[in-house]
Amino acid sequence: MSNSITDSQNMANVGHSDNLEPISSQNSTPSNKMGGDDMDLKAEGHEEYIQEVGPLSQYFGVLALCLMVAFGGFIFGWDTGTISGFIAQKDFLRRLGSLNDEGVYYFSKVRTGLVVGIFNVGCAIGGLTLGGTGDRYGRRIGLMIVTVVYIVGIVIQIATINKWYQYFIGRIISGMGVGGIAVLSPTLISETAPAHLRGTAVAFYQLMITAGIFLGYCTNYGTKNYDNSVQWRVPLGLGFAWALFMLGGMTLVPESPRYLVQEGRIEEAKRSLAISNKCTVDSPVVIGEYENIAAGVEAERSAGSATWGELFSTNGKILQRVIMGVMVNSLQQLTGANYFFYYGTTVFQAVGLEDSFETSIVFGIVNFASTFVALWTVERFGRRRCLLWGSATMTCCFVIYASVGVTRLYPDGIDNKEISTSTGAGNCMICFTCFFIFCFATTWAPTAYVIISESFPLRIRAKAISVAVGANWLWGFLISFFTPFITEAINFYYGYVFMGCLVFSWFYVFFFVCETKGLSLEEVNEMYEEGVLPWKSPNWVPSGRRDMGYDADAALHDNKPWYKRFM
């Protein structure tokens, strides 16, 4: 924030200081819109004051820092984008594949599933084990540690000569590094970004993932005509370069102020807040936010040290939140997006495309460009609405994609698919795949990370996020490993499986996911502790913002039949 902001604006930007009581509701409030109208608080026992959120230019500094932290997502996206091309490249197949009776090198379905999917297993292990480095050494140092682990895995993969299991081991290790990044990067962002921009800032992580996928596709396209290991070693080598860039960027990023307060490093916490907000350590912004964080940390510390067993506690709806985080991240994978991202080149060889690498680049462009839209939608429409609309629209896309693939793609039947395919049907499937990717990139892709980054108390945040992200990686592995077998058995009927998962996800989000838009992390915790019904959470108001006419009990009960609650 610039130093020219008035004190009242600075204190309002904190929005949750002990001596301030914002009045706006969480979703229909000027406080959640930059440049919104001023509002008054006229209630017994409270002084009237002006609340205003400054222009976006005041937050460029903290958003730039969040973007740097989010670059960890680029590393994950780069792997996703490049591996889909490796398994179709001649030199990669010649070195690591098997030779059939016709003298052609190939990957068996088991080896394909393992080479692609074992990365996700490594990510799950890394998230559960290396994610804890953020609690021990700090979020920033933890990110640097897990990035080094990723580099070790990349070196092992690049050094592979002709043993597929060496490459396999390298992918496990690099996956462990990415798993740690996936836990610590959204955590650090959520603990640094202002409340009214937190959703956008966390969505930067997904933006970086899509940028990595897109550039990975482009690199594969640029190296595919080589006949030697340049085809795959150059993309791997660039992954090494991105990791070094990540390490350099982390030297410029301040540590999480919430972590520093938790460790009793008070002056460092104030300096971190001052850097993030571009103001002095004695600024009202720094003082107000520090007092709020310190109060929250002290309240959590009084309950004792956090353990893994606490994730199963029903006090404060901790267990319910952990289950919700696991389900949302599992359902993000079960949307079917990685069916296209991991196997994009091979899937669209099946629809008769001469150069499926070009199609992958188109998908990468759609995915990357759409995520810019998500930076706006996640704060404009809120978390719940994005997830609900995403489930509905992606369901429609998969119905059409699968139906066309099953009924129109092969005019002479599935048994004669090598002989003829329908160009019109193939183009239709590609078109609706692009629609699907747009719907995914603007809704479920970033919002799942946003939800888990802001739904847990500070004491267990890293542990709970690691469990939720671990579920994401587990399902990612299962989908990537079993997809070759499933598509061989049922072909494009596979799309109906994802369609069913999307229908289920709509109902799950409606009944179990609370709206957290515009709330501070402390206010999110208060909402869950009160037991607010998820479908009433968009209209819930924190205790510090309520006027005399607010009915707090109305958000806790609903006597309508379940089928009428959708209205």
Side-chain angles (χ1 to χ4, degrees):
M1 301 179 192
S2 74
N3 294 328
S4 62
I5 310 173
T6 65
D7 287 351
S8 63
Q9 288 173 321
N10 280 332
M11 295 302 286
N13 289 336
V14 176
H16 46 269
S17 174
D18 291 340
N19 60 347
L20 289 178
E21 295 174 315
I23 60 159
S24 50
S25 67
Q26 98 189 58
N27 286 333
S28 56
T29 131
S31 67
N32 295 332
K33 300 176 184 177
M34 288 167 288
D37 297 331
D38 299 339
M39 294 187 69
D40 306 329
L41 174 61
K42 296 180 180 179
E44 184 178 350
H46 302 286
E47 295 181 2
E48 181 177 321
Y49 80 99
I50 300 298
Q51 180 183 19
E52 181 180 337
V53 172
L56 182 61
S57 59
Q58 295 176 359
Y59 304 99
F60 280 168
V62 67
L63 290 178
L65 293 174
C66 291
L67 188 62
M68 180 62 70
V69 177
F71 189 79
F74 185 94
I75 295 174
F76 169 47
W78 182 262
D79 182 272
T80 302
T82 53
I83 191 60
S84 66
F86 289 177
I87 59 177
Q89 290 174 344
K90 294 179 181 178
D91 186 77
F92 195 77
L93 290 170
R94 183 169 60 246
R95 289 173 180 270
L96 307 181
S98 303
L99 189 66
N100 63 18
D101 295 337
E102 299 175 355
V104 177
Y105 288 94
Y106 74 102
F107 274 173
S108 67
K109 293 180 179 60
V110 172
R111 190 172 298 184
T112 299
L114 287 175
V115 167
V116 174
I118 200 62
F119 182 80
N120 296 78
V121 174
C123 289
I125 296 172
L128 292 171
T129 57
L130 298 179
T133 57
D135 288 333
R136 289 190 291 273
Y137 308 109
R139 317 306 195 208
R140 185 174 68 92
I141 300 300
L143 273 169
M144 298 176 76
I145 292 172
V146 296
T147 302
V148 171
V149 173
Y150 171 79
I151 289 175
V152 172
I154 288 292
V155 170
I156 294 174
Q157 292 177 69
I158 292 177
T160 302
I161 302 298
N162 55 11
K163 298 295 187 292
W164 75 272
Y165 47 82
Q166 178 181 344
Y167 188 84
F168 179 86
I169 293 171
R171 278 185 65 75
I172 293 177
I173 295 174
S174 61
M176 291 176 65
V178 169
I181 290 173
V183 172
L184 297 175
S185 184
T187 300
L188 180 54
I189 294 172
S190 69
E191 293 179 357
T192 304
H196 69 287
L197 292 175
R198 189 174 58 243
T200 296
V202 176
F204 284 159
Y205 182 77
Q206 180 62 26
L207 178 66
M208 289 292 100
I209 291 177
T210 60
I213 292 174
F214 169 58
L215 291 180
Y217 285 158
C218 292
T219 305
N220 279 343
Y221 183 77
T223 62
K224 69 185 179 69
N225 291 325
Y226 287 90
D227 293 327
N228 53 24
S229 63
V230 168
Q231 284 186 326
W232 54 278
R233 280 200 170 111
V234 166
L236 280 175
L238 287 173
F240 182 84
W242 305 137
L244 292 178
F245 178 80
M246 177 75 177
L247 287 174
M250 286 303 96
T251 63
L252 306 175
V253 175
E255 182 56 85
S256 162
R258 284 177 169 83
Y259 168 80
L260 293 172
V261 171
Q262 190 177 35
E263 295 297 304
R265 295 153 63 179
I266 307 306
E267 294 305 316
E268 290 181 60
K270 291 181 179 179
R271 284 196 295 271
S272 178
L273 287 168
I275 292 172
S276 297
N277 291 284
K278 299 183 70 174
C279 58
T280 60
V281 292
D282 56 355
S283 165
V285 173
V286 173
I287 295 172
E289 187 143 4
Y290 162 72
E291 290 177 350
N292 180 75
I293 292 172
V297 169
E298 185 60 33
E300 293 181 355
R301 184 180 288 129
S302 64
S305 60
T307 63
W308 284 99
E310 189 173 338
L311 298 182
F312 299 94
S313 171
T314 56
N315 294 331
K317 291 189 176 294
I318 298 299
L319 177 59
Q320 291 89 326
R321 286 190 249 183
V322 172
I323 293 174
M324 182 274 296
V326 168
M327 288 298 296
V328 168
N329 273 263
S330 299
L331 290 169
Q332 187 204 48
Q333 286 289 336
L334 291 170
T335 59
N338 281 340
Y339 165 67
F340 298 112
F341 294 141
Y342 282 130
Y343 294 99
T345 53
T346 54
V347 165
F348 286 95
Q349 284 174 348
V351 301
L353 293 174
E354 294 182 0
D355 193 341
S356 56
F357 283 92
E358 293 180 357
T359 308
S360 295
I361 292 176
V362 172
F363 292 163
I365 293 173
V366 173
N367 191 30
F368 181 49
S370 300
T371 308
F372 282 99
V373 179
L375 300 180
W376 174 73
T377 58
V378 71
E379 287 296 351
R380 174 62 180 82
F381 300 108
R383 292 38 161 169
R384 274 175 57 88
R385 192 179 298 181
C386 283
L387 293 178
L388 291 171
W389 276 103
S391 295
T393 52
M394 287 188 288
T395 298
C396 297
C397 291
F398 251 124
V399 168
I400 297 173
Y401 172 87
S403 298
V404 172
V406 168
T407 62
R408 294 287 184 268
L409 183 61
Y410 304 121
D412 298 322
I414 187 68
D415 294 334
N416 297 313
K417 63 180 180 180
E418 302 296 334
I419 299 176
S420 64
T421 58
S422 169
T423 302
N427 291 336
C428 177
M429 294 174 71
I430 293 172
C431 179
F432 275 94
T433 299
C434 290
F435 282 138
F436 172 89
I437 291 173
F438 172 80
C439 296
F440 175 76
T442 54
T443 57
W444 274 85
T447 309
Y449 292 111
V450 175
I451 287 287
I452 64 169
S453 71
E454 58 192 14
S455 293
F456 305 111
L458 175 63
R459 294 171 61 250
I460 65 161
R461 185 169 298 141
K463 291 182 174 65
I465 290 178
S466 66
V467 170
V469 172
N472 186 292
W473 298 126
L474 175 61
W475 280 104
F477 167 73
L478 293 175
I479 290 172
S480 59
F481 181 80
F482 287 108
T483 287
F485 299 95
I486 296 173
T487 53
E488 178 70 19
I490 62 175
N491 211 275
F492 292 106
Y493 283 102
Y494 196 19
Y496 293 125
V497 176
F498 293 121
M499 180 203 73
C501 294
L502 285 164
V503 172
F504 171 78
S505 72
W506 193 96
F507 286 97
Y508 183 84
V509 169
F510 185 88
F511 285 109
F512 295 101
V513 177
C514 287
E515 180 57 71
T516 53
K517 170 191 167 185
L519 300 176
S520 71
L521 297 178
E522 291 74 22
E523 289 167 345
V524 171
N525 196 47
E526 178 190 353
M527 176 176 61
Y528 276 102
E529 288 180 343
E530 282 193 8
V532 174
L533 296 174
W535 56 94
K536 290 195 172 186
S537 61
N539 297 318
W540 179 78
V541 179
S543 58
R545 306 188 191 183
R546 296 171 186 171
D547 58 24
M548 296 298 293
Y550 180 75
D551 183 5
D553 190 62
L556 311 182
H557 307 285
D558 195 341
N559 296 323
K560 294 179 182 178
W562 69 270
Y563 55 87
K564 290 186 177 181
R565 294 171 184 173
F566 303 122
M567 306 301 293

